[in-house]
Amino acid sequence: MSYLFHTDEDRREMLKSIGAESIDEIINDQVPEAVRLKRPLNLPPACNELALTAEMTRLAARNASADSHVCFLGGGAYDHFIPAAVDEIASRGEYYTSYTPYQAEVSQGNLQVMFEYETLVTQLTGLGVSNASLYDGGSAATEAVLMALSMQRGRNKVITTDVVHPQYRDILVAYLKNIDAELVVVPSDENGHSKPMIDAIDDKTACVLIQHPNFVGQLESVSEIAAAAKEAGALTIQVFDPVSLGRLKRPGDMGVDIAIAEGQSLGNPLAYGGPYLGIMACRDELVRRLPGRIAGQTTDRRGKRCWVLTLQTREQHIRREKATSNICSNQTLLALRATVHLSLLGPEGLKETADHCIAKTAYAKEVIAKSERFEVVGEGPSLKEFVVRDLGADVAGLLAHAREQGLLAGIDMTPMCVGGSEASEPAVALPSRYEQCFLVAVTEKRSRVEIDRWANVLCEAPSMATV
Amino acid sequence: MARDPSTLRYAETHEWVDVQEEGGDKFATIGISAFAVEQLNDLVYMDLPEVGRELEIGEEFGEVESVKAVSPLYSPVAGEVVAVHSDLPDNLDNLNDDAFDFGWILKVKLSADLPDSLMDFAAYQKQCSEAG
């Protein structure tokens, strides 16, 4: 496609053909006075490319990222290792610049990637079908809930708990607000486990939404919760961590019906929060309600193997208002990266990654627990994330101090707790026991030296309170 | 005994109805017409209701899906679903040759008289030829 500007002549032609004198005249007709910007955009004056590049570089240098700091941040996005081959393959023009690559006649390469991706996701989750990906983990969680609601006549209750990712719950609340659905957020027990939700399951329950490992890093009794849901005729949706499946049981082997995940951990950079990758898989018999696109393998009229989009009658362009979802896109490029990443790691590599995370997280818990000022919150093993309480009650100051020392030491949980600035309503809040706590993630990339330094910097931080 | 299409009643939305009396109650067997099956072409899936469900006249009770489209199925009668042809979704190919016998979808115990809007065979044939 050539890249051409409109000339003044082109504009005159177009205006003439619609019978308008000027572009302003069209805008005056269409855009109400009240919403129009009456001043130039708030930008510095134009400059040349050299000056612009220098200025943008200066601004970019002010960011603290996983490249400039040692990163212990998690909460849904993690600083995992990405093999160089992932970038190399994903940056091929055929993949990198493809636009809606779904037409079988011209997109065999992309469709094959989607099919390979789906195959890997089904192997990873132990479930029968996967879609070609959704926008991110949070929207995938909500899509799974909508899917469960659409399948179950006369059931409109959605049960989740206060240790499921707050932002995922936030998306869910927004979507459920205007449909016939009741969201019940059951308080977790003092260890951050969701088992108490079992008592809330009844014959009006469409689905339960759990996260394992959950937002505070605890492992959940998935099989038990799924069995209770099944007995009541409800579906179980699990938010999983792809890396955890190197070691933990697969959702499909625990009675989970729909499994969703944030796929950023699989070969995708943190990129300041996105774009990310929504993974979604479900049991075979639910496939007709699965949102998004699905690539399938078939044969062409010469009998040769080929790939196509399949089961499209689920989708909005055919089922219209009855479609499960209005999502008709996916994150092909990021799904490709996840596919390459998993192919390079293989099952053994994923196990090894998970084992490194588990061992290093255990070590980090051990060193921080030695300090007078800190205690590890919650019991049992952790995959790669755990909660630390600051008995000095100055998490914000503590983390700012660590940032100055080149460490992104954790996520302040205080604003996410009941009444906090990031908890817009009770349904999305964390329990108040996590006030003055921070969430720490330790991936396979963290070395012993880095973990020791992290603990030292935190222990030496000035404290507002005397412990 | 094979059903005779000319003795059945038809809804505008192409469902056929066959009413029988059993022990003082009236039951309707429901399916979709051969014309509808032919129009839909290449059926791949059918979603059926559960036994025990109460249907209103005109209520959507399921859907039938072909390679290119999804069509809702509407109940031509009011009553309780007493039987569902559960083998049908896995044998949709047979629907092509046998829409009126093997192709039965539901059996409903009637709670009200058949609506007057149901057509007889001649009227339905006329509708189909006009749509043709």
Side-chain angles (χ1 to χ4, degrees):
Chain A
M1 200 165 72
S2 35
Y3 178 61
L4 299 172
F5 289 104
H6 294 316
T7 62
D8 287 344
E9 183 52 35
D10 292 335
R11 291 196 186 89
R12 270 195 298 277
E13 288 275 322
M14 288 190 277
L15 286 167
K16 198 169 132 195
S17 77
I18 59 170
E21 286 295 317
S22 66
I23 292 174
D24 279 343
E25 184 190 325
I26 305 170
I27 292 173
N28 290 344
D29 281 348
Q30 302 299 331
V31 184
E33 194 73 27
V35 298
R36 254 186 270 167
L37 192 68
K38 303 283 196 309
R39 54 167 178 78
L41 290 170
N42 185 16
L43 288 171
C47 59
N48 64 38
E49 185 179 344
L50 190 62
L52 180 68
T53 309
E55 174 62 6
M56 294 310 274
T57 307
R58 188 188 66 79
L59 286 174
R62 293 171 56 191
N63 285 321
S65 74
D67 296 328
S68 62
H69 288 55
V70 180
C71 180
F72 288 87
L73 304 182
Y78 303 90
D79 183 28
H80 283 288
F81 171 65
I82 302 172
V86 174
D87 282 330
E88 193 57 38
I89 294 170
S91 59
R92 285 182 61 108
E94 301 90 326
Y95 292 130
Y96 212 70
T97 61
S98 65
Y99 175 69
T100 56
Y102 304 119
Q103 211 180 324
E105 296 86 338
V106 290
S107 297
Q108 281 301 296
N110 274 292
L111 288 164
Q112 180 176 358
V113 166
M114 287 177 220
F115 182 76
E116 303 284 359
Y117 161 84
E118 289 163 12
T119 305
L120 288 167
V121 169
T122 53
Q123 289 173 349
L124 203 56
T125 57
L127 289 159
V129 272
S130 158
N131 65 15
S133 76
L134 295 165
Y135 295 124
D136 59 15
S139 63
T142 291
E143 289 289 340
V145 167
L146 295 177
M147 177 176 163
L149 285 165
S150 77
M151 264 183 311
Q152 313 224 58
R153 292 177 52 81
R155 290 171 176 259
N156 69 343
K157 196 160 149 187
V158 176
I159 302 176
T160 188
T161 75
D162 59 8
V163 285
V164 166
H165 199 307
Q167 290 172 339
Y168 291 19
R169 282 184 276 143
D170 208 358
I171 298 169
L172 193 56
V173 166
Y175 269 81
L176 296 186
K177 227 167 220 151
N178 299 309
I179 62 172
D180 172 30
E182 180 200 357
L183 179 64
V184 179
V185 182
V186 178
S188 52
D189 67 20
E190 66 279 7
N191 275 313
H193 290 134
S194 293
K195 223 161 119 179
M197 80 193 302
I198 289 178
D199 296 335
I201 301 171
D202 58 16
D203 61 1
K204 285 278 172 252
T205 307
C207 62
V208 299
L209 173 68
I210 48 175
Q211 183 172 6
H212 164 71
N214 67 27
F215 186 75
V216 296
Q218 291 291 312
L219 303 181
E220 298 278 18
S221 326
V222 180
S223 299
E224 206 176 331
I225 294 167
K230 194 182 168 93
E231 200 175 328
L235 296 175
T236 300
I237 303 166
Q238 185 203 333
V239 181
F240 68 94
D241 177 315
V243 173
S244 77
L245 297 182
R247 268 298 163 211
L248 298 180
K249 256 190 185 169
R250 302 185 302 177
D253 299 334
M254 297 188 291
V256 168
D257 299 292
I258 310 170
I260 71 100
E262 175 49 67
Q264 176 274 330
S265 292
L266 303 175
N268 287 296
L270 284 161
Y272 303 100
Y276 286 166
L277 169 67
I279 295 176
M280 187 175 201
C282 69
R283 286 192 292 109
D284 280 347
E285 49 271 50
L286 310 182
V287 67
R288 292 191 182 270
R289 293 287 176 186
L290 187 65
R293 300 197 170 269
I294 301 175
Q297 187 173 285
T298 182
T299 49
D300 67 8
R301 62 196 169 88
R302 295 189 186 88
K304 284 170 69 181
R305 183 169 74 151
C306 65
W307 295 274
V308 294
L309 284 187
T310 187
L311 292 167
Q312 285 191 75
T313 43
R314 296 168 303 107
E315 295 192 68
Q316 62 166 9
H317 56 288
I318 295 180
R319 204 178 289 250
R320 300 187 182 271
E321 77 282 0
K322 285 214 184 69
T324 303
S325 163
N326 293 108
I327 287 193
C328 56
S329 183
N330 75 78
Q331 297 280 40
T332 307
L333 187 66
L334 303 184
L336 161 72
R337 295 182 64 102
T339 307
V340 175
H341 186 83
L342 281 171
S343 312
L344 291 167
L345 256 59
E348 282 308 311
L350 193 67
K351 255 197 201 93
E352 209 177 308
T353 305
D355 287 346
H356 275 284
C357 291
I358 292 165
K360 290 174 173 183
T361 303
Y363 177 71
K365 279 164 99 168
E366 197 184 314
V367 292
I368 200 72
K370 286 180 186 151
S371 146
E372 291 277 299
R373 181 174 172 173
F374 301 109
E375 62 180 21
V376 173
V377 181
E379 296 169 345
S382 304
L383 180 86
K384 63 181 179 193
E385 219 160 359
F386 62 101
V387 175
V388 179
R389 176 172 291 116
D390 176 15
L391 299 172
D394 181 25
V395 171
L398 179 77
L399 297 177
H401 167 79
R403 258 195 311 277
E404 284 162 21
Q405 306 289 315
L407 290 167
L408 300 170
I411 300 172
D412 187 355
M413 296 167 85
T414 312
M416 303 179 204
C417 294
V418 184
S421 60
E422 286 173 38
S424 54
E425 50 180 293
V428 306
L430 290 176
S432 47
R433 64 175 170 273
Y434 297 110
E435 278 171 18
Q436 293 307 337
C437 292
F438 55 105
L439 187 63
V440 180
V442 187
T443 67
E444 78 287 354
K445 273 177 79 172
R446 297 289 74 82
S447 64
R448 179 186 289 263
V449 172
E450 286 172 340
I451 297 168
D452 287 341
R453 191 163 162 261
W454 165 82
N456 289 337
V457 166
L458 290 180
C459 293
E460 288 160 10
S463 168
M464 288 199 313
T466 43
V467 180
Chain B
M1 193 188 88
R3 257 185 207 98
D4 175 358
S6 68
T7 63
L8 305 175
R9 302 283 297 278
Y10 296 85
E12 214 174 298
T13 46
H14 304 285
E15 294 84 5
W16 55 257
V17 184
D18 183 11
V19 178
Q20 316 93 28
E21 285 211 32
E22 288 171 37
D25 289 316
K26 282 191 173 170
F27 292 88
T29 306
I30 296 164
I32 50 175
S33 73
F35 174 82
V37 173
E38 190 189 340
Q39 289 288 310
L40 286 166
N41 199 336
D42 245 347
L43 299 180
V44 292
Y45 176 72
M46 189 180 264
D47 183 34
L48 300 174
E50 57 283 1
V51 169
R53 183 160 152 202
E54 288 288 340
L55 293 172
E56 306 270 331
I57 292 169
E59 183 178 338
E60 193 180 317
F61 67 76
E63 54 189 21
V64 59
E65 188 177 313
S66 67
V67 176
K68 291 283 181 197
V70 181
S71 304
L73 299 166
Y74 300 104
S75 177
V77 301
E80 182 193 343
V81 178
V82 293
V84 173
H85 189 177
S86 50
D87 289 341
L88 188 57
D90 293 330
N91 296 282
L92 290 170
D93 288 354
N94 299 345
L95 204 59
N96 294 322
D97 328 315
D98 200 355
F100 294 99
D101 290 296
F102 178 80
W104 75 273
I105 299 173
L106 297 181
K107 195 169 169 186
V108 175
K109 183 179 172 187
L110 294 183
S111 62
D113 290 340
L114 290 192
D116 294 338
S117 58
L118 291 181
M119 293 172 267
D120 62 16
F121 186 59
Y124 179 66
Q125 275 197 304
K126 186 163 173 284
Q127 178 187 305
C128 293
S129 64
E130 283 166 3

